Amino acid sequence: MQKVALDLIRNAMEAMASCPRGEVAVDRFTVAHKDPGISADIADRLFQPFVTTKRHGMGVGLSICRTIIESHGGHIVAQAKPGGSAILQFTAPFVELSEGTA
Ligand SMILES: Nc1ncnc2c1ncn2[C@@H]1O[C@H](COP(=O)(O)OP(=O)(O)OP(=O)(O)O)[C@@H](O)[C@H]1O
Ligand SMILES: [Mg+2]
């Protein structure tokens, strides 16, 4: 899945290589899974730095993701569903890309 996302974005960058200004939009990227859901303890703080439930976690992944997405005018949200599932979703309209970004 990581390869698919990377290849689609890289192909778009390569297609626009000769354009003076390139923009790529990601119109909703969603990752969802069932058990276990998002821990209730931290559900309202997921995007804050250094919030983690993992023994060796730094708790910075989602914080950095939000910074990146919002810096491009996008939005990232997490939804915890009753019964234990999680949905993480972002949109990133018109992200300016240059080589090395992806
Ligand atoms: N898909 C998910 N399902 C359930 N919980 C999640 C999910 N994604 C994030 N979380 C919860 O949010 C916390 C914060 O995630 P984040 O990615 O910011 O940090 P981390 O994964 O703990 O550490 P790091 O990414 O810095 O290695 C996680 O520790 C986990 O408890
Ligand atoms: Mg993480």
Side-chain angles (χ1 to χ4, degrees):
M1 291 299 120
Q2 195 174 18
K3 175 171 169 48
V4 173
L6 189 60
D7 279 1
L8 293 183
I9 293 170
R10 181 169 286 153
N11 281 348
M13 292 169 67
E14 288 166 357
M16 296 185 300
S18 61
C19 300
R21 178 187 163 92
E23 288 185 337
V24 170
V26 178
D27 179 31
R28 196 171 302 182
F29 183 96
T30 303
V31 176
H33 63 86
K34 294 184 178 172
D35 281 350
I38 297 171
S39 169
D41 299 351
I42 57 150
D44 57 348
R45 295 180 290 128
L46 282 187
F47 295 98
Q48 289 178 19
F50 310 117
V51 170
T52 185
T53 56
K54 300 173 189 175
R55 191 175 169 82
H56 298 291
M58 293 263 299
V60 297
L62 288 178
S63 166
I64 292 170
C65 287
R66 184 170 67 173
T67 299
I68 292 168
I69 293 300
E70 290 184 351
S71 75
H72 291 297
H75 195 53
I76 184 166
V77 293
Q79 282 178 275
K81 293 283 186 182
S85 68
I87 302 173
L88 276 289
Q89 187 171 75
F90 75 83
T91 57
F94 309 120
V95 177
E96 277 187 61
L97 293 176
S98 57
E99 274 302 335
T101 307

